Amino acid sequence: METSASIRKRCSLKQELSGRPVEAERIRAVLDAARQAPSARNTQPWRFIVVQGEEAIDALVEAAFPGPSAIIGQAPVLIVACARPEDGVTRDGKAYYLYDLGSAVQNLLLAATDLGLVTHLIASFDEEQVKRVLHIPDDVRVVVATPLAYPRAASYDEAAAERLRERDRRGLEEVAFAGAWGAPFASAAGTAAQDIAPV
Amino acid sequence: METSASIRKRCSLKQELSGRPVEAERIRAVLDAARQAPSARNTQPWRFIVVQGEEAIDALVEAAFPGPSAIIGQAPVLIVACARPEDGVTRDGKAYYLYDLGSAVQNLLLAATDLGLVTHLIASFDEEQVKRVLHIPDDVRVVVATPLAYPRAASYDEAAAERLRERDRRGLEEVAFAGAWGAPFASAAGTAAQDIAPV
């Protein structure tokens, strides 16, 4: 799938998790995409725990993913992303292990979308219980988790259609500024374009 | 470009920044990719400042990007990514605005790669000077910056070839675990594959 399509189509689809097994080579492919990400001073602080099998998934979900998020237990694969903050760079109070995991997991989610697999990023869980169940060391932080599954619908596009129609994002003019904080980029872009030579 | 190719080919190329103007529609495209990213509780804390024009770029680089990183001033566009931590979610000491920016900027970098543009993620700069020059409010943190440019070489692939040959990443067995912390995923995957039905 084209890069721009994966970026546009990736969305959270916990209602669309089928139990159909996900092949090991596809799991490896999404993990391989994750580890290509950049990281501060190339520290690569990311670590992924791949949970498979009904018993293991039930134990994790029951302990750590209460309420509506328990639905992720319908997936054949759960991936838990974590890092030891000390493995990453911290600068002026900014803990870049979190930034680096965001980059790596975004690669993973886009690679999954490209393979027709659905995901659903979750940052809300009982971290202590995740660590207990998965034997994660005390000094490691659990940052996000996602199921990895084939969609219930006939295709990824069908599974994602409604969700994408409802997508709610701030407009470009609200998040992008031209030259200084607060000056919308969108309006400035029209002017700047006059000076630009054709490709 | 295929998603998997963009993920594999994205790399840091500050030696490859040509001064050729980058069209406004391409700048908009990479910013649009950024804002499609997921974020904790959909807070979308990311904000981007697009700096263009020799005078503005020189002022920013001289003030805030000393030493070897000053080379980014050769690009026709600098993008500074920042966020107000209070706009994002903080849970158990984990400030997800950093995670969310990682996701959004990864989208941006992949979209740039897809368009044949080179980038170079930088997390080391004088944050107070960046904020002064770009009129960024006190309660906003500057997280990363990247130049956006056409390559000096004839193509992105040519520009990136050597850098990609030298890519240094931890192996899958070091970053991915099967079922619990510490058990390498790579070796376990072979076993799991036996139970998997053909696609």
Side-chain angles (χ1 to χ4, degrees):
Chain A
M1 191 187 292
E2 280 290 317
T3 305
S4 55
S6 297
I7 289 173
R8 193 174 63 247
K9 292 179 179 179
R10 181 227 53 85
C11 59
S12 293
L13 292 170
K14 67 181 175 188
Q15 307 294 339
E16 277 288 340
L17 306 170
S18 87
R20 177 181 166 193
V22 175
E23 302 81 355
E25 57 268 35
R26 294 194 175 209
I27 303 174
R28 267 199 298 270
V30 303
L31 294 167
D32 251 332
R35 70 189 185 88
Q36 303 306 318
S39 58
R41 288 197 212 119
N42 200 23
T43 44
Q44 307 168 56
W46 45 71
R47 300 293 182 272
F48 303 96
I49 302 179
V50 181
V51 182
Q52 292 179 276
E54 200 174 319
E55 199 176 333
I57 286 178
D58 284 353
L60 177 61
V61 169
E62 279 176 31
F65 294 86
S69 66
I71 196 173
I72 66 171
Q74 296 178 353
V77 183
L78 298 183
I79 298 178
V80 174
C82 44
R84 189 178 273 117
E86 286 178 16
D87 286 347
V89 170
T90 296
R91 183 174 289 121
D92 301 333
K94 292 171 289 188
Y96 279 91
Y97 83 92
L98 289 162
Y99 180 94
D100 297 341
L101 257 74
S103 304
V105 174
Q106 188 63 12
N107 270 6
L108 184 156
L109 299 176
L110 294 174
T113 304
D114 180 45
L115 294 171
L117 300 171
V118 299
T119 57
H120 190 113
L121 204 55
I122 294 182
S124 176
F125 43 76
D126 185 327
E127 185 176 2
E128 287 312 307
Q129 289 298 319
V130 175
K131 290 169 76 164
R132 182 184 63 76
V133 173
L134 301 181
H135 306 297
I136 297 172
D138 283 346
D139 59 351
V140 171
R141 298 305 306 262
V142 183
V143 180
V144 294
T146 181
L148 185 70
Y150 279 100
R152 288 175 182 271
S155 69
Y156 183 93
D157 284 352
E158 195 179 315
E162 187 183 345
R163 180 93 183 173
L164 290 175
R165 270 196 304 274
E166 295 167 352
R167 171 159 281 182
D168 177 24
R169 289 290 186 277
R170 297 180 199 279
L172 191 61
E173 73 290 350
E174 197 180 340
V175 300
F177 304 134
W181 183 274
F185 174 75
S187 57
T191 312
Q194 295 169 2
D195 307 325
I196 291 170
V199 191
Chain B
M1 190 188 290
E2 280 290 317
T3 304
S4 56
S6 298
I7 288 173
R8 193 176 62 246
K9 292 179 179 179
R10 182 226 53 84
C11 59
S12 293
L13 292 168
K14 67 182 175 188
Q15 307 294 340
E16 276 288 341
L17 305 170
S18 88
R20 177 181 166 194
V22 175
E23 302 80 354
E25 58 267 36
R26 293 194 177 209
I27 303 173
R28 267 200 297 271
V30 303
L31 294 167
D32 252 332
R35 70 188 185 89
Q36 303 305 319
S39 58
R41 288 197 214 120
N42 201 23
T43 44
Q44 307 167 58
W46 44 71
R47 299 293 182 272
F48 303 95
I49 302 178
V50 181
V51 182
Q52 293 179 275
E54 198 174 320
E55 200 176 331
I57 285 177
D58 284 353
L60 177 61
V61 169
E62 278 176 31
F65 294 86
S69 65
I71 195 173
I72 66 170
Q74 296 178 353
V77 184
L78 298 183
I79 298 178
V80 174
C82 45
R84 189 178 274 119
E86 286 178 15
D87 286 346
V89 170
T90 297
R91 185 174 288 123
D92 301 333
K94 292 171 289 189
Y96 279 91
Y97 82 93
L98 290 161
Y99 180 94
D100 297 341
L101 257 73
S103 303
V105 174
Q106 188 63 11
N107 270 6
L108 186 155
L109 299 176
L110 294 174
T113 304
D114 179 45
L115 294 171
L117 299 170
V118 298
T119 57
H120 191 113
L121 205 54
I122 294 183
S124 176
F125 43 76
D126 185 328
E127 185 176 3
E128 287 311 307
Q129 290 298 319
V130 174
K131 290 169 75 165
R132 182 185 63 75
V133 172
L134 301 181
H135 306 296
I136 297 172
D138 283 347
D139 59 350
V140 171
R141 300 305 306 263
V142 183
V143 179
V144 294
T146 181
L148 185 69
Y150 280 99
R152 288 175 182 272
S155 70
Y156 183 92
D157 284 353
E158 194 180 315
E162 185 182 346
R163 181 90 184 175
L164 290 176
R165 269 196 306 274
E166 295 168 353
R167 171 159 280 182
D168 176 25
R169 288 291 186 277
R170 297 179 198 279
L172 192 60
E173 72 291 348
E174 196 180 342
V175 300
F177 304 133
W181 183 274
F185 173 75
S187 56
T191 311
Q194 296 169 2
D195 306 324
I196 291 171
V199 190

